[in-house]
Amino acid sequence: MLKSSIKTSLAIICCTLLLCCSNNDNSITPDESGEETPEQGETPTEETPQENNEEVVESDLGTVTYFNKALAEDHYILVNDAMNNHVYLMDKNGDLVYEWPLGDRKIGNDVVLLEDGTLLAALQAEGPDILFGGFGGKIQIIDKEGNALWDFTYSNSNHRLHHDVELLPNGNVLGIAWEKMTQEEALASGSKHNTDLYPESILEINPTTDEIVWEWHAKDHLIQDFDDTKLNFGEVAANPQLIDLNYVNAENGNIMHINGLGYDAINDLIFLSVNFYSEVWILDHSTTTEVAASHSGGNFGRGGDLVYRFGNPSAYGDDDSERMFVNNHYPNLFEPGKMLIFTNGGDLGQSTVYELGLPNALTQESIPTLTSPEILWSFTDTELYSPKVSGAVRLPNGNTLITEGDYGIWEVTTEGEVVWKFSGDGFFWRSYHYAKDHPGIIALDL
């Protein structure tokens, strides 16, 4: 457990190590294991040894350790366990409150509880042709009894939904999808990879009509400095609003691996966690689909080009500025102008949670300067490390609920004190806080 007196020093050390990991040739090779679920029965990381003042509670779901029970938030936690294909609510003693009957359906990654008591779930489609980790292809809205109230499949040899979903205020759903660029199309676009590529797209789907009402495609916003005879040739460092097609060395064509969505309803912005670029990308959602394919228009005047990006300056040719992320998950916009994000840490063997203050320019529909957002708070620990999945949620009492994907869940205070932990035999995509009087909880009539 970190004490507040050393937290700042350790954060500085971690940031220095992250910078050292920056690849100076602007090209990285990702961990191609991506987000694949561990095999059944894989043993999770051992939890921190007990201290004399710990209160340990054993349950059917796992082991709860209270380090300071008086400071822990009393609430329910929605757990997405991809290894065991379970979605359930538990209390802080690790007792099962409710589990949804999924039948033969398999969760993709994200599942959230809506205010009417239904689940919005990313699920695995049958027989997928695109086999990267972060399985999906299907979105459903599921009632308490497990019935699918809405079922949308987007999975074939040319595209596949994956990882995360986000409910918009208008009732539509945002999803992430890989889409195929043939080898010929990729080479014509300036790719240095002699293979098919699978860049990302973002879709907005109307659940009433199943219509895709808005879409953005990364392939419309590329740059490359590899081949001056091909499309998209230009200076990467001079065009940070564009995406370097050749930044990642990926033999299987999975070059971006977006794993998380966030939506800023006030400023109509979409936040994307781009794992293989170790960045967050921000898109202007005020555009039409046609404008989103262009380089001008919309509230920010950039069409579908990136409004802002942060986490890894080397991804746009800046090898001198400090790097913040080595892989990242869950761009959680928990209140206006503030984000929590989990950086996995890669070869550092240690993860970090950041609370970031976003640039004020985003609220003024202007383009921020390309500097890192302000670090308002951070937490790391020698025992906190998950190379995949994971995330963080801010609780009403000010504590932060951290999901360590291959271990379980932590609760820590703003001073960095660990007050509660849960460890279980699972692989945990994310964990979400729900107050006991949340409308979705009340609607379940438990």
Side-chain angles (χ1 to χ4, degrees):
M1 185 192 314
L2 284 183
K3 300 298 183 181
S4 59
S5 60
I6 65 169
K7 179 179 65 178
T8 302
S9 298
L10 184 51
I12 292 171
I13 292 169
C14 286
C15 287
T16 302
L17 289 171
L18 292 173
L19 178 59
C20 293
C21 289
S22 180
N23 197 327
N24 290 330
D25 67 357
N26 284 351
S27 179
I28 65 169
T29 302
D31 174 4
E32 292 300 348
S33 59
E35 311 289 17
E36 293 180 9
T37 303
E39 296 296 324
Q40 295 284 337
E42 182 174 322
T43 303
T45 308
E46 294 295 328
E47 74 171 318
T48 306
Q50 286 185 215
E51 299 175 1
N52 292 333
N53 60 348
E54 295 172 2
E55 178 184 343
V56 178
V57 181
E58 298 288 349
S59 75
D60 290 339
L61 296 175
T63 301
V64 163
T65 305
Y66 285 101
F67 298 93
N68 191 337
K69 192 171 186 178
L71 296 181
E73 177 84 33
D74 182 20
H75 61 106
Y76 291 146
I77 302 173
L78 180 71
V79 179
N80 296 182
D81 177 0
M83 185 173 81
N84 297 301
N85 199 47
H86 291 170
V87 180
Y88 57 86
L89 279 172
M90 74 174 193
D91 63 21
K92 293 304 283 286
N93 287 327
D95 291 327
L96 183 67
V97 175
Y98 188 75
E99 181 172 358
W100 280 263
L102 296 178
D104 59 359
R105 291 167 293 190
K106 295 181 179 180
I107 60 175
N109 272 315
D110 198 44
V111 183
V112 296
L113 178 65
L114 304 181
E115 291 200 349
D116 63 357
T118 61
L119 293 179
L120 176 62
L123 303 171
Q124 296 184 33
E126 294 183 4
D129 295 304
I130 300 173
L131 299 174
F132 308 134
F135 296 104
K138 180 187 289 287
I139 304 173
Q140 286 189 350
I141 293 177
I142 301 170
D143 68 13
K144 178 181 177 180
E145 287 74 33
N147 302 307
L149 306 181
W150 176 54
D151 188 330
F152 180 83
T153 298
Y154 190 79
S155 178
N156 58 33
S157 61
N158 291 316
H159 52 242
R160 196 193 84 193
L161 288 162
H162 63 94
H163 277 92
D164 202 2
V165 289
E166 180 87 3
L167 181 68
L168 298 179
N170 64 5
N172 292 345
V173 175
L174 283 180
I176 309 162
W178 281 298
E179 63 176 340
K180 182 178 180 179
M181 289 179 72
T182 64
Q183 180 177 348
E184 292 74 21
E185 183 183 4
L187 291 174
S189 297
S191 172
K192 67 180 182 182
H193 307 93
N194 291 311
T195 186
D196 297 337
L197 299 182
Y198 294 86
E200 304 284 1
S201 62
I202 306 300
L203 311 177
E204 179 181 346
I205 307 144
N206 183 329
T208 302
T209 64
D210 285 349
E211 180 185 2
I212 297 173
V213 298
W214 182 89
E215 49 195 295
W216 173 89
H217 301 269
K219 69 180 182 181
D220 295 326
H221 305 280
L222 301 174
I223 192 167
Q224 55 88 18
D225 57 9
F226 173 67
D227 188 339
D228 62 5
T229 69
K230 301 296 174 61
L231 298 174
N232 308 310
F233 182 78
E235 184 181 353
V236 172
N239 293 277
Q241 78 280 9
L242 300 176
I243 302 161
D244 183 1
L245 175 62
N246 295 314
Y247 180 67
V248 172
N249 292 319
E251 294 181 359
N252 64 0
N254 180 16
I255 57 173
M256 296 175 183
H257 203 85
I258 294 176
N259 57 31
L261 285 167
Y263 179 67
D264 176 356
I266 297 174
N267 301 295
D268 204 8
L269 293 169
I270 298 171
F271 288 67
L272 305 174
S273 171
V274 191
N275 194 41
F276 289 173
Y277 282 64
S278 294
E279 287 189 290
V280 169
W281 295 345
I282 300 179
L283 309 177
D284 182 359
H285 179 252
S286 73
T287 60
T288 63
T289 294
E290 181 179 9
V291 172
S294 74
H295 307 287
S296 63
N299 290 344
F300 289 80
R302 282 196 169 176
D305 288 349
L306 306 186
V307 172
Y308 180 54
R309 63 196 299 179
F310 60 90
N312 178 19
S314 70
Y316 50 87
D318 178 358
D319 297 318
D320 298 320
S321 297
E322 186 175 19
R323 180 172 178 173
M324 184 179 296
F325 304 153
V326 176
N327 307 115
N328 42 276
H329 283 82
Y330 193 18
N332 178 11
L333 296 158
F334 68 98
E335 63 180 63
K338 294 182 179 180
M339 171 189 286
L340 286 168
I341 192 162
F342 189 102
T343 175
N344 300 82
D347 292 340
L348 297 175
Q350 189 168 347
S351 303
T352 302
V353 174
Y354 289 107
E355 177 188 341
L356 302 174
L358 300 170
N360 289 330
L362 294 175
T363 68
Q364 301 161 358
E365 296 182 356
S366 60
I367 305 300
T369 58
L370 270 181
T371 56
S372 295
E374 181 185 2
I375 299 175
L376 303 177
W377 178 83
S378 67
F379 176 83
T380 189
D381 188 287
T382 55
E383 298 295 325
L384 180 68
Y385 177 60
S386 177
K388 303 175 186 177
V389 299
S390 311
V393 175
R394 182 58 46 84
L395 302 178
N397 67 356
N399 292 352
T400 301
L401 193 73
I402 300 170
T403 305
E404 181 185 350
D406 54 7
Y407 167 82
I409 310 168
W410 304 48
E411 182 178 344
V412 303
T413 68
T414 54
E415 291 76 27
E417 180 182 354
V418 180
V419 298
W420 178 90
K421 278 187 178 182
F422 165 79
S423 63
D425 179 20
F427 187 64
F428 306 102
W429 159 247
R430 291 179 190 162
S431 301
Y432 294 108
H433 152 85
Y434 288 91
K436 293 181 178 180
D437 60 355
H438 181 277
I441 300 295
I442 294 173
L444 286 173
D445 192 26
L446 300 173

